[in-house]
Amino acid sequence: MTTDTLVKDHSRSFHENKFVYPVLSRRSRGISIGVNLNPDKVCNFDCIYCQVDRVSESETRFVELERLTTELDAMFEFVGGGELYADEKFRDVPVPLRRLNDVAFSGDGEPTTFRNFDSLMSTVADLKRRHGLDDVKMVLITNASMFHRPVVQRGLEVLDRNNGEIWAKLDAGTEEYYDLVERTRIPFRQVLDNITAAARIRPIVIQSLFMRIENVAPSDDEIAAFCDRLNEFTTAGGRIKLVQIYTIARRPAESFVSPLNDIEIHKIAATVISKTGLPTEVFQ
Ligand code: SF4
């Protein structure tokens, strides 16, 4: 298996694990331990580009906390002790990438909808500390729809104290495009307000996926509106440490969705840089 195919192999199962899986992450340039808090594959968004495999049925419906903790404990040992690289899927990982970068909460839905989000963050932080992994980040990959909930705010505070990072998704500049892409009842305004409030407390990363819909790339006006939203965050005192622009890498939920090409994606990133001055990176 080449590094490239390894990077693209984001399978959520690792041997017998139900909740914890290792991934070679192109973004983190190292190993990321994924924690899936949505084994039921239910999400409060229904993004047209979602790359979660909802065709195959999930075996597990609920997060079993004890099992999740045991799997994570073992995975820290497995990666830290280098045993991971004896595994068929990881034996070709280049030596410079053989480092544990983060524990990422993502999975097959929105992680912040997990009922005991705050206590889970504390449990993972304690475990990470016990393994002496203070340098390893805790990355929350989120649609920012639930930040207004106290249980989520408490969880974010745990992240703040434990080398945490929030990667909040924002794929639109206008409500119309948001409705088209995210297909959710959660208002765009709620997401924007949540991102602003979170970014006023700590610097956050914005993750933005752009695509072709019915073979049409986002318009210049949509990208200009997207930049306006980013500028509104900073004007309101929010701190954005990075804007990540990317496109589809795997099979999307809808067949009318397809990836942008290199030129298109770099053009969007250049527009973001010129209109916002924010650090911006392209991931392909
Ligand atoms: S928020 Fe994420 S998991 Fe949920 S539908 Fe959108 S892309 Fe899929």
Side-chain angles (χ1 to χ4, degrees), residues 43-47 49-52 54 107-110 143 169 182:
C43 189
N44 58 357
F45 279 27
D46 180 22
C47 304
Y49 66 80
C50 184
Q51 292 158 87
V52 171
R54 293 198 168 82
D108 294 335
E110 171 50 36
N143 62 24
K169 120 197 179 80
E182 324 288 16

Side-chain angles (χ1 to χ4, degrees), residues 46-61:
D46 180 22
C47 304
I48 55 174
Y49 66 80
C50 184
Q51 292 158 87
V52 171
D53 171 16
R54 293 198 168 82
V55 176
S56 54
E57 193 148 337
S58 50
E59 277 171 41
T60 312
R61 299 243 163 253

Side-chain angles (χ1 to χ4, degrees), residues 2-171:
T2 65
T3 309
D4 195 41
T5 52
L6 263 171
V7 162
K8 285 178 181 152
D9 187 354
H10 284 220
S11 164
R12 302 235 183 277
S13 62
F14 192 75
H15 301 291
E16 298 307 310
N17 280 10
K18 280 186 172 179
F19 306 104
V20 172
Y21 54 95
V23 174
L24 174 61
S25 165
R26 54 192 161 156
R27 287 176 207 181
S28 67
R29 295 168 189 98
I31 300 296
S32 173
I33 297 178
V35 177
N36 185 6
L37 297 183
N38 306 85
D40 56 2
K41 301 191 181 187
V42 172
C43 189
N44 58 357
F45 279 27
D46 180 22
C47 304
I48 55 174
Y49 66 80
C50 184
Q51 292 158 87
V52 171
D53 171 16
R54 293 198 168 82
V55 176
S56 54
E57 193 148 337
S58 50
E59 277 171 41
T60 312
R61 299 243 163 253
F62 303 104
V63 173
E64 299 152 41
L65 265 184
E66 207 178 310
R67 175 159 183 162
L68 188 155
T69 311
T70 307
E71 286 183 7
L72 186 57
D73 194 18
M75 191 58 74
F76 279 145
E77 287 288 334
F78 199 61
V79 179
E83 232 182 300
L84 178 72
Y85 308 107
D87 186 273
E88 194 193 342
K89 272 182 163 182
F90 291 87
R91 72 166 69 112
D92 295 333
V93 172
V95 173
L97 303 187
R98 292 185 176 200
R99 48 175 286 278
L100 176 57
N101 186 71
D102 60 82
V103 179
F105 302 91
S106 55
D108 294 335
E110 171 50 36
T112 59
T113 56
F114 179 60
R115 214 157 30 117
N116 300 316
F117 181 75
D118 55 346
S119 60
L120 181 81
M121 291 303 111
S122 296
T123 302
V124 172
D126 289 346
L127 200 54
K128 186 168 83 79
R129 202 171 309 116
R130 261 192 278 142
H131 281 269
L133 297 172
D134 291 347
D135 290 347
V136 170
K137 288 185 199 173
M138 289 171 72
V139 177
L140 174 67
I141 301 173
T142 174
N143 62 24
S145 59
M146 294 289 140
F147 290 176
H148 54 289
R149 287 189 175 170
V151 66
V152 177
Q153 284 167 11
R154 289 195 295 273
L156 299 185
E157 284 162 15
V158 176
L159 289 177
D160 293 342
R161 294 192 295 272
N162 290 281
N163 202 4
E165 200 163 71
I166 298 170
W167 294 12
K169 120 197 179 80
L170 182 72
D171 305 322

Side-chain angles (χ1 to χ4, degrees), residues 35 67 91 94 152 167 184 194 202 205 209 224 236 254 277-278:
V35 177
R67 175 159 183 162
R91 72 166 69 112
V152 177
W167 294 12
T184 176
N194 282 355
R202 80 286 282 167
V205 174
L209 186 145
E254 301 293 353
L278 291 168

